[in-house]
Amino acid sequence: MFLTVNLAQNQSKISNYISDTLLEHIDITLAKGEKVMLYLNKRGSHSSLICEDCQYLYACPNCDVSLSVHWNPDHLRCHICNNAFNIPKQCSECHKINLKPVWVGTQQIESLMKNQYSEKSVYRFDSDSMKNISSKREALWNLDSADIIIGTKMLTTGFNFEKIWLICIILVESELSYPSYDAAEKAYTNLRQLIGRWNRKSQETTIILQTFIPKNPLVQQLTNNNFKDFFQETLKERKEFDYPPYRQMVTLEYRHKDSKKSLAYTQKLLDTLREFDPEEEYIFLRGSSTFRKNNTHHATLIVKWKNIRKLLKNIEKTIISQSALSVIFH
Ligand SMILES: [Zn+2]
Ligand SMILES: [Zn+2]
Protein backbone atom coordinates (compact mmCIF):
# COMPACT_ATOMS: atom_id res chain seq x y z
CA MET A 1 0.00 0.00 0.00
CA PHE A 2 1.23 3.42 -0.97
CA LEU A 3 0.06 6.66 0.68
CA THR A 4 1.04 10.29 0.12
CA VAL A 5 0.16 12.51 3.07
CA ASN A 6 -0.15 16.31 2.94
CA LEU A 7 1.45 17.49 6.19
CA ALA A 8 -0.10 20.95 5.75
CA GLN A 9 -3.52 19.37 6.35
CA ASN A 10 -2.72 16.22 8.26
CA GLN A 11 -0.68 16.82 11.41
CA SER A 12 -0.92 14.93 14.65
CA LYS A 13 -0.99 16.55 18.08
CA ILE A 14 2.58 15.49 18.75
CA SER A 15 4.32 17.20 15.82
CA ASN A 16 3.94 19.02 12.49
CA TYR A 17 6.14 16.34 10.98
CA ILE A 18 4.15 13.32 12.15
CA SER A 19 0.75 12.91 10.50
CA ASP A 20 -2.28 11.27 12.09
CA THR A 21 -2.15 8.80 9.22
CA LEU A 22 1.38 7.83 10.17
CA LEU A 23 0.48 7.43 13.85
CA GLU A 24 -2.49 5.21 12.95
CA HIS A 25 -0.28 2.99 10.83
CA ILE A 26 2.41 2.84 13.50
CA ASP A 27 -0.25 1.73 16.01
CA ILE A 28 -1.54 -0.97 13.68
CA THR A 29 1.94 -2.22 12.84
CA LEU A 30 3.15 -2.35 16.44
CA ALA A 31 -0.07 -4.04 17.55
CA LYS A 32 0.77 -6.85 15.12
CA GLY A 33 4.23 -7.14 16.68
CA GLU A 34 5.91 -5.87 13.51
CA LYS A 35 8.55 -3.20 13.01
CA VAL A 36 8.35 0.39 11.76
CA MET A 37 11.01 2.33 9.94
CA LEU A 38 11.08 6.12 9.69
CA TYR A 39 13.48 7.51 7.13
CA LEU A 40 15.11 10.92 6.70
CA ASN A 41 17.66 11.46 3.99
CA LYS A 42 20.54 12.60 6.15
CA ARG A 43 21.84 12.70 9.65
CA GLY A 44 21.12 15.81 11.68
CA SER A 45 18.47 18.00 10.21
CA HIS A 46 16.86 19.10 7.03
CA SER A 47 15.72 22.69 6.55
CA SER A 48 14.05 24.46 3.67
CA LEU A 49 11.73 27.38 3.00
CA ILE A 50 8.31 26.83 1.46
CA CYS A 51 5.33 29.02 0.59
CA GLU A 52 2.22 27.64 2.23
CA ASP A 53 0.00 29.35 -0.35
CA CYS A 54 1.48 28.38 -3.70
CA GLN A 55 3.73 25.49 -2.47
CA TYR A 56 6.85 27.08 -3.89
CA LEU A 57 10.06 25.48 -2.59
CA TYR A 58 12.99 27.90 -2.47
CA ALA A 59 15.67 26.53 -4.75
CA CYS A 60 19.11 27.72 -5.82
CA PRO A 61 19.07 29.72 -9.09
CA ASN A 62 22.33 27.99 -10.13
CA CYS A 63 21.66 24.41 -9.04
CA ASP A 64 18.62 22.15 -9.00
CA VAL A 65 18.43 21.77 -5.21
CA SER A 66 16.44 23.46 -2.49
CA LEU A 67 18.14 26.12 -0.36
CA SER A 68 18.79 25.48 3.33
CA VAL A 69 17.63 27.91 5.98
CA HIS A 70 20.40 29.15 8.30
CA TRP A 71 20.03 31.33 11.40
CA ASN A 72 22.34 33.94 13.02
CA PRO A 73 22.82 35.56 10.61
CA ASP A 74 19.59 34.56 8.91
CA HIS A 75 20.03 33.50 5.31
CA LEU A 76 19.37 30.83 2.72
CA ARG A 77 22.34 28.86 1.46
CA CYS A 78 22.97 26.47 -1.40
CA HIS A 79 25.03 23.49 -0.22
CA ILE A 80 26.30 22.79 -3.72
CA CYS A 81 27.56 26.20 -4.99
CA ASN A 82 27.64 27.82 -1.53
CA ASN A 83 25.81 30.99 -2.65
CA ALA A 84 23.88 32.78 0.11
CA PHE A 85 20.61 34.68 -0.26
CA ASN A 86 18.48 36.84 2.03
CA ILE A 87 15.40 35.23 3.52
CA PRO A 88 12.53 36.89 1.64
CA LYS A 89 9.62 38.54 3.49
CA GLN A 90 7.09 37.50 0.88
CA CYS A 91 6.84 34.73 -1.68
CA SER A 92 8.61 35.58 -4.90
CA GLU A 93 6.03 33.58 -6.86
CA CYS A 94 2.61 34.50 -5.42
CA HIS A 95 3.69 37.52 -3.27
CA LYS A 96 1.83 36.29 -0.19
CA ILE A 97 3.58 36.28 3.18
CA ASN A 98 2.98 32.73 4.39
CA LEU A 99 6.54 31.57 4.08
CA LYS A 100 7.37 28.70 6.40
CA PRO A 101 10.78 27.34 7.35
CA VAL A 102 10.58 23.56 7.46
CA TRP A 103 12.99 21.94 9.86
CA VAL A 104 13.16 18.33 10.88
CA GLY A 105 15.92 16.14 12.27
CA THR A 106 16.44 12.53 13.26
CA GLN A 107 16.92 13.34 16.97
CA GLN A 108 13.66 15.27 17.02
CA ILE A 109 11.80 12.31 15.49
CA GLU A 110 13.52 9.97 17.94
CA SER A 111 12.38 11.91 21.01
CA LEU A 112 8.84 12.25 19.64
CA MET A 113 8.64 8.48 19.17
CA LYS A 114 10.12 7.77 22.60
CA ASN A 115 7.48 9.97 24.22
CA GLN A 116 4.62 8.58 22.21
CA TYR A 117 5.61 4.92 22.45
CA SER A 118 7.38 4.86 25.81
CA GLU A 119 6.80 1.12 26.29
CA LYS A 120 8.37 0.30 22.92
CA SER A 121 11.99 0.13 21.89
CA VAL A 122 12.97 3.07 19.67
CA TYR A 123 16.37 3.05 18.00
CA ARG A 124 18.04 5.82 16.01
CA PHE A 125 20.57 4.41 13.62
CA ASP A 126 23.30 6.68 12.28
CA SER A 127 27.06 6.89 11.85
CA ASP A 128 27.53 7.42 15.62
CA SER A 129 26.29 3.90 16.24
CA MET A 130 28.89 2.44 13.88
CA LYS A 131 32.21 3.76 15.15
CA ASN A 132 33.88 0.43 15.86
CA ILE A 133 33.25 -3.29 15.65
CA SER A 134 31.75 -3.69 19.08
CA SER A 135 29.43 -0.76 18.46
CA LYS A 136 28.56 -2.32 15.11
CA ARG A 137 27.62 -5.54 16.86
CA GLU A 138 25.62 -3.54 19.36
CA ALA A 139 23.96 -1.61 16.54
CA LEU A 140 22.92 -4.85 14.88
CA TRP A 141 21.53 -6.14 18.14
CA ASN A 142 19.65 -2.88 18.69
CA LEU A 143 18.27 -2.96 15.16
CA ASP A 144 17.14 -6.49 15.70
CA SER A 145 15.33 -5.75 18.94
CA ALA A 146 13.90 -2.32 18.02
CA ASP A 147 10.21 -1.78 17.32
CA ILE A 148 10.72 1.62 15.73
CA ILE A 149 13.88 2.35 13.76
CA ILE A 150 14.77 5.91 12.80
CA GLY A 151 17.44 6.13 10.21
CA THR A 152 19.19 7.93 7.44
CA LYS A 153 20.94 6.85 4.28
CA MET A 154 23.19 4.63 6.42
CA LEU A 155 20.28 2.26 6.76
CA THR A 156 20.36 1.66 3.06
CA THR A 157 23.54 -0.38 3.07
CA GLY A 158 24.56 -3.58 4.59
CA PHE A 159 21.65 -4.82 6.63
CA ASN A 160 18.85 -7.25 6.16
CA PHE A 161 15.71 -6.41 8.02
CA GLU A 162 13.03 -8.83 8.94
CA LYS A 163 9.54 -7.91 9.93
CA ILE A 164 9.47 -4.33 8.76
CA TRP A 165 5.95 -3.68 7.59
CA LEU A 166 5.78 0.09 7.61
CA ILE A 167 8.20 2.54 6.09
CA CYS A 168 7.68 6.28 6.16
CA ILE A 169 9.67 8.91 4.29
CA ILE A 170 9.25 11.67 6.88
CA LEU A 171 9.72 14.53 4.41
CA VAL A 172 9.82 13.89 0.68
CA GLU A 173 11.17 17.38 -0.12
CA SER A 174 14.30 16.61 1.87
CA GLU A 175 15.17 14.22 -0.95
CA LEU A 176 15.51 17.34 -3.14
CA SER A 177 18.19 18.99 -1.06
CA TYR A 178 20.89 16.42 -0.68
CA PRO A 179 24.00 18.59 -0.42
CA SER A 180 26.58 16.65 -2.38
CA TYR A 181 24.63 15.46 -5.36
CA ASP A 182 21.13 14.76 -6.31
CA ALA A 183 19.23 13.87 -9.31
CA ALA A 184 15.99 12.15 -8.45
CA GLU A 185 17.72 8.91 -9.43
CA LYS A 186 20.05 9.25 -6.48
CA ALA A 187 17.10 9.42 -4.11
CA TYR A 188 15.61 6.37 -5.77
CA THR A 189 18.90 4.56 -5.53
CA ASN A 190 19.09 5.18 -1.80
CA LEU A 191 15.55 4.10 -1.27
CA ARG A 192 15.88 1.17 -3.61
CA GLN A 193 18.74 -0.10 -1.50
CA LEU A 194 16.71 0.58 1.60
CA ILE A 195 13.69 -1.30 0.44
CA GLY A 196 15.91 -3.93 -1.11
CA ARG A 197 16.76 -4.96 2.44
CA TRP A 198 13.13 -5.58 3.18
CA ASN A 199 11.63 -8.82 4.26
CA ARG A 200 10.63 -11.35 1.66
CA LYS A 201 6.96 -10.59 1.85
CA SER A 202 7.68 -6.97 1.06
CA GLN A 203 4.67 -6.59 -1.23
CA GLU A 204 2.64 -6.28 1.97
CA THR A 205 4.71 -3.37 3.22
CA THR A 206 2.91 -0.05 3.68
CA ILE A 207 4.82 2.97 2.42
CA ILE A 208 3.90 6.47 3.57
CA LEU A 209 5.34 9.58 1.93
CA GLN A 210 4.87 12.80 3.90
CA THR A 211 5.23 16.28 2.38
CA PHE A 212 4.09 19.86 3.02
CA ILE A 213 3.96 20.64 -0.67
CA PRO A 214 2.34 17.73 -2.53
CA LYS A 215 1.45 20.00 -5.47
CA ASN A 216 4.96 21.31 -5.96
CA PRO A 217 6.12 20.04 -9.36
CA LEU A 218 9.45 18.69 -8.07
CA VAL A 219 7.76 16.85 -5.22
CA GLN A 220 5.06 15.57 -7.57
CA GLN A 221 7.71 14.23 -9.83
CA LEU A 222 8.94 12.20 -6.88
CA THR A 223 5.61 11.16 -5.36
CA ASN A 224 3.23 10.74 -8.31
CA ASN A 225 5.23 8.79 -10.74
CA ASN A 226 8.76 8.02 -9.89
CA PHE A 227 8.45 6.85 -6.32
CA LYS A 228 5.49 4.65 -7.14
CA ASP A 229 7.15 3.19 -10.21
CA PHE A 230 10.31 2.82 -8.26
CA PHE A 231 8.75 1.04 -5.31
CA GLN A 232 6.57 -1.12 -7.49
CA GLU A 233 9.48 -2.06 -9.67
CA THR A 234 11.62 -2.83 -6.63
CA LEU A 235 8.96 -4.97 -5.07
CA LYS A 236 8.44 -6.79 -8.33
CA GLU A 237 12.16 -7.36 -8.68
CA ARG A 238 12.33 -8.76 -5.19
CA LYS A 239 9.47 -11.07 -5.93
CA GLU A 240 11.05 -12.29 -9.13
CA PHE A 241 14.60 -12.60 -7.96
CA ASP A 242 13.99 -13.33 -4.32
CA TYR A 243 16.91 -11.45 -2.89
CA PRO A 244 19.26 -8.58 -3.76
CA PRO A 245 21.79 -7.72 -4.91
CA TYR A 246 20.77 -9.42 -8.09
CA ARG A 247 21.64 -6.54 -10.34
CA GLN A 248 24.47 -4.11 -10.44
CA MET A 249 23.82 -0.50 -11.18
CA VAL A 250 26.04 2.30 -12.39
CA THR A 251 25.38 5.93 -13.28
CA LEU A 252 27.35 7.54 -16.08
CA GLU A 253 27.20 11.28 -15.63
CA TYR A 254 28.32 13.82 -18.19
CA ARG A 255 28.74 17.54 -17.47
CA HIS A 256 28.53 20.43 -19.89
CA LYS A 257 27.57 24.12 -19.77
CA ASP A 258 25.01 23.44 -22.49
CA SER A 259 22.21 21.10 -21.45
CA LYS A 260 21.55 19.99 -25.05
CA LYS A 261 25.17 19.02 -25.51
CA SER A 262 25.26 17.03 -22.32
CA LEU A 263 22.05 15.20 -23.28
CA ALA A 264 23.44 14.53 -26.76
CA TYR A 265 26.56 13.02 -25.20
CA THR A 266 24.62 10.53 -23.06
CA GLN A 267 22.55 9.60 -26.12
CA LYS A 268 25.75 8.91 -28.07
CA LEU A 269 27.11 6.91 -25.14
CA LEU A 270 23.89 4.90 -25.01
CA ASP A 271 24.09 4.15 -28.74
CA THR A 272 27.71 3.02 -28.35
CA LEU A 273 26.95 0.75 -25.37
CA ARG A 274 24.00 -0.83 -27.18
CA GLU A 275 26.40 -1.96 -29.90
CA PHE A 276 28.19 -4.07 -27.30
CA ASP A 277 24.92 -5.53 -26.11
CA PRO A 278 23.55 -7.68 -28.95
CA GLU A 279 21.56 -9.87 -26.55
CA GLU A 280 19.86 -6.78 -25.12
CA GLU A 281 20.57 -8.01 -21.64
CA TYR A 282 21.34 -4.64 -20.07
CA ILE A 283 18.80 -2.14 -18.88
CA PHE A 284 19.54 1.45 -19.85
CA LEU A 285 17.79 4.43 -18.34
CA ARG A 286 18.77 7.70 -19.92
CA GLY A 287 17.64 10.85 -18.09
CA SER A 288 15.54 13.01 -20.41
CA SER A 289 16.50 16.20 -18.62
CA THR A 290 19.67 17.48 -16.97
CA PHE A 291 20.42 18.30 -13.34
CA ARG A 292 22.11 21.65 -12.72
CA LYS A 293 25.06 22.09 -10.38
CA ASN A 294 26.50 25.59 -10.33
CA ASN A 295 25.05 26.17 -13.80
CA THR A 296 26.71 23.10 -15.26
CA HIS A 297 24.23 20.64 -16.73
CA HIS A 298 24.66 17.03 -15.68
CA ALA A 299 23.08 14.37 -17.88
CA THR A 300 22.81 10.79 -16.66
CA LEU A 301 22.70 7.34 -18.12
CA ILE A 302 21.95 4.52 -15.70
CA VAL A 303 22.95 0.97 -16.58
CA LYS A 304 21.62 -2.05 -14.74
CA TRP A 305 22.21 -5.76 -14.93
CA LYS A 306 24.51 -8.53 -13.78
CA ASN A 307 27.94 -7.67 -15.08
CA ILE A 308 28.30 -3.99 -15.73
CA ARG A 309 32.09 -3.87 -15.46
CA LYS A 310 32.30 -6.21 -18.45
CA LEU A 311 30.17 -3.83 -20.48
CA LEU A 312 32.10 -0.73 -19.37
CA LYS A 313 35.40 -2.38 -20.31
CA ASN A 314 34.40 -1.67 -23.93
CA ILE A 315 34.46 2.07 -23.34
CA GLU A 316 37.38 2.11 -20.92
CA LYS A 317 39.41 4.55 -23.05
CA THR A 318 36.55 7.02 -23.22
CA ILE A 319 36.04 6.78 -19.48
CA ILE A 320 39.71 7.48 -18.79
CA SER A 321 40.17 10.29 -21.32
CA GLN A 322 36.87 12.14 -20.95
CA SER A 323 37.25 14.24 -17.80
CA ALA A 324 33.65 15.50 -17.96
CA LEU A 325 32.38 11.94 -17.63
CA SER A 326 31.98 10.39 -14.17
CA VAL A 327 31.25 6.76 -13.39
CA ILE A 328 29.33 6.26 -10.16
CA PHE A 329 28.84 2.71 -8.87
CA HIS A 330 25.92 2.23 -6.53
ZN1 LIG B 1 3.79 31.57 -2.87
ZN1 LIG C 1 23.68 26.44 -5.94
Side-chain angles (χ1 to χ4, degrees), residues 133-326:
I133 289 178
S134 66
S135 66
K136 187 171 179 174
R137 215 172 284 141
E138 198 183 307
L140 284 170
W141 190 85
N142 285 333
L143 275 172
D144 204 42
S145 58
D147 301 305
I148 300 173
I149 299 161
I150 297 146
T152 60
K153 206 169 91 59
M154 273 211 69
L155 273 177
T156 64
T157 50
F159 296 102
N160 293 321
F161 298 117
E162 301 291 326
K163 293 188 180 174
I164 293 175
W165 294 84
L166 174 63
I167 170 175
C168 177
I169 315 295
I170 296 290
L171 199 61
V172 172
E173 44 269 46
S174 72
E175 296 297 328
L176 297 166
S177 64
Y178 201 67
S180 59
Y181 164 88
D182 199 24
E185 285 87 352
K186 184 78 173 182
Y188 307 147
T189 306
N190 292 340
L191 295 169
R192 177 183 293 278
Q193 285 175 333
L194 180 69
I195 205 161
R197 311 284 166 193
W198 248 233
N199 68 58
R200 286 158 191 257
K201 294 171 191 160
S202 51
Q203 60 268 39
E204 294 174 48
T205 306
T206 299
I207 296 148
I208 297 178
L209 305 175
Q210 298 191 130
T211 173
F212 282 100
I213 45 175
K215 293 198 179 110
N216 180 286
L218 287 172
V219 170
Q220 277 203 330
Q221 202 197 342
L222 290 178
T223 53
N224 281 4
N225 304 311
N226 296 333
F227 265 125
K228 275 182 198 164
D229 289 351
F230 155 77
F231 278 116
Q232 272 153 10
E233 195 196 325
T234 306
L235 296 178
K236 201 168 133 244
E237 264 174 29
R238 285 192 49 70
K239 209 173 158 194
E240 281 173 9
F241 304 120
D242 202 38
Y243 216 72
Y246 184 74
R247 291 172 181 176
Q248 296 172 353
M249 178 162 151
V250 69
T251 300
L252 300 166
E253 189 184 84
Y254 183 75
R255 315 177 275 282
H256 200 281
K257 288 277 174 204
D258 182 339
S259 74
K260 284 198 185 115
K261 285 199 173 139
S262 80
L263 286 171
Y265 188 90
T266 50
Q267 182 60 54
K268 206 179 89 199
L269 201 59
L270 172 61
D271 295 340
T272 311
L273 287 171
R274 280 226 167 101
E275 284 174 30
F276 300 111
D277 178 32
E279 309 286 324
E280 295 189 15
E281 61 176 356
Y282 291 94
I283 296 167
F284 295 102
L285 299 167
R286 184 178 155 270
S288 54
S289 57
T290 55
F291 177 79
R292 259 179 335 142
K293 284 192 244 182
N294 213 358
N295 282 328
T296 303
H297 292 266
H298 296 238
T300 55
L301 173 65
I302 293 173
V303 188
K304 297 198 287 187
W305 206 241
K306 290 177 194 167
N307 194 343
I308 289 170
R309 281 173 205 275
K310 192 177 141 202
L311 179 73
L312 293 185
K313 195 93 183 134
N314 296 304
I315 57 161
E316 200 175 14
K317 278 193 189 130
T318 312
I319 291 170
I320 292 164
S321 62
Q322 179 53 268
S323 60
L325 180 67
S326 305

Side-chain angles (χ1 to χ4, degrees), residues 47-85:
S47 68
S48 60
L49 189 67
I50 60 170
C51 169
E52 288 190 295
D53 282 298
C54 74
Q55 308 213 339
Y56 182 64
L57 173 68
Y58 275 78
C60 177
N62 307 319
C63 312
D64 292 333
V65 293
S66 64
L67 294 167
S68 296
V69 184
H70 290 250
W71 311 109
N72 290 327
D74 300 355
H75 65 284
L76 296 169
R77 184 172 292 279
C78 172
H79 287 172
I80 288 185
C81 70
N82 214 26
N83 275 314
F85 306 88

